[in-house]
């Protein structure tokens, strides 16, 4: 299985966003236990926000911003290529995490 950083390296200009490191942390946590997707705010966002020293509210805002940048810089096309299916918008952060996790497993 590839790491979150390896999967996201195909999309330019993401590392400068505050939410990038948090997205990577989320992906690594969910890769360890996919059932965390069910209660993602409690089981993923809250622990990641605490580790990063920010509120869950700010963390979620930063995650949405990096999601928007991901889509703006070709992320939708990247996911469609890797997953072999159309990606319909809007794409919520949880859905992005789930799709990227699938890419981590497949590549």
């Amino acid at each position: 299985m590839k790491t979150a950083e390896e999967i996201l390296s195909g999309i330019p200009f993401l590392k400068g966003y505050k939410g990038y490191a948090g997205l990577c942390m989320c992906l690594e946590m969910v890769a360890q236990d996919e059932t965390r997707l069910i209660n993602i705010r409690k089981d993923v966002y809250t622990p990641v926000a605490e580790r990063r020293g920010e509120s869950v509210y700010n963390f979620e805002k930063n995650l949405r911003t990096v999601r928007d940048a991901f889509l703006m810089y070709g992320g939708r096309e990247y996911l469609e290529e890797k997953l072999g299916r159309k990606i319909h918008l809007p794409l919520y952060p949880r859905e992005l995490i789930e799709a990227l996790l699938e890419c981590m497993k497949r590549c």
Side-chain angles (χ1 to χ4, degrees):
M1 181 185 295
K2 286 197 174 190
T3 67
E5 292 256 352
E6 289 171 327
I7 289 298
L8 292 171
S9 68
I11 307 295
F13 311 119
L14 292 182
K15 289 185 179 182
Y17 288 91
K18 283 184 179 180
Y20 177 80
L23 175 59
C24 290
M25 292 171 77
C26 288
L27 285 165
E28 298 299 336
M29 284 187 74
V30 172
Q32 293 172 3
D33 181 1
E34 290 184 37
T35 63
R36 290 177 172 149
L37 286 167
I38 297 166
N39 295 308
I40 197 161
R41 191 167 207 257
K42 180 179 133 271
D43 295 338
V44 179
Y45 296 168
T46 299
V48 170
E50 287 173 357
R51 276 192 243 153
R52 295 182 47 74
E54 59 186 317
S55 71
V56 174
Y57 173 81
N58 280 342
F59 175 73
E60 289 175 322
K61 179 180 67 77
N62 292 335
L63 196 56
R64 288 189 301 272
T65 300
V66 80
R67 180 247 355 239
D68 293 345
F70 175 85
L71 294 172
M72 184 172 46
Y73 294 117
R76 179 181 186 175
E77 295 80 8
Y78 175 82
L79 290 176
E80 288 177 345
E81 177 188 322
K82 297 291 183 189
L83 300 176
R85 62 180 180 258
K86 283 292 255 182
I87 301 296
H88 299 282
L89 300 177
L91 190 64
Y92 295 98
R94 186 198 59 77
E95 295 166 336
L96 175 62
I97 290 167
E98 190 170 353
L100 289 170
L101 177 63
E102 191 62 31
C103 291
M104 288 168 64
K105 290 194 282 187
R106 289 185 184 196
C107 296

